[in-house]
Amino acid sequence: MIVSTARDAVEYLNRWPGKRGRDYRVELQYCPDALDRLRSPHATGVSFVTAAKATGLSV
């Protein structure tokens, strides 16, 4: 799956295939914040990549 928006990320997080550790929980909050324009899309993207790498997912 290609994740290119915060909405895509929320959908992917609901089916997250890896460990749901700290980085996952941070991203779980960042995505709604980005949708509500409380956090930048860039910060949300960086957080998503960090969570994916921590889980061992390919990015």
Side-chain angles (χ1 to χ4, degrees):
M1 174 178 194
I2 296 174
V3 176
S4 57
T5 67
R7 191 167 308 283
D8 291 345
V10 168
E11 182 180 322
Y12 191 77
L13 288 170
N14 288 328
R15 297 179 288 131
W16 192 253
K19 181 180 132 199
R20 295 183 178 200
R22 183 184 97 46
D23 293 317
Y24 168 84
R25 291 188 307 273
V26 167
E27 183 58 17
L28 199 58
Q29 182 58 51
Y30 275 24
C31 285
D33 286 353
L35 292 172
D36 292 337
R37 298 179 187 211
L38 300 173
R39 188 169 309 277
S40 77
H42 176 74
T44 303
V46 169
S47 175
F48 187 87
V49 169
T50 299
K53 285 182 178 179
T55 303
L57 300 175
S58 177
V59 280

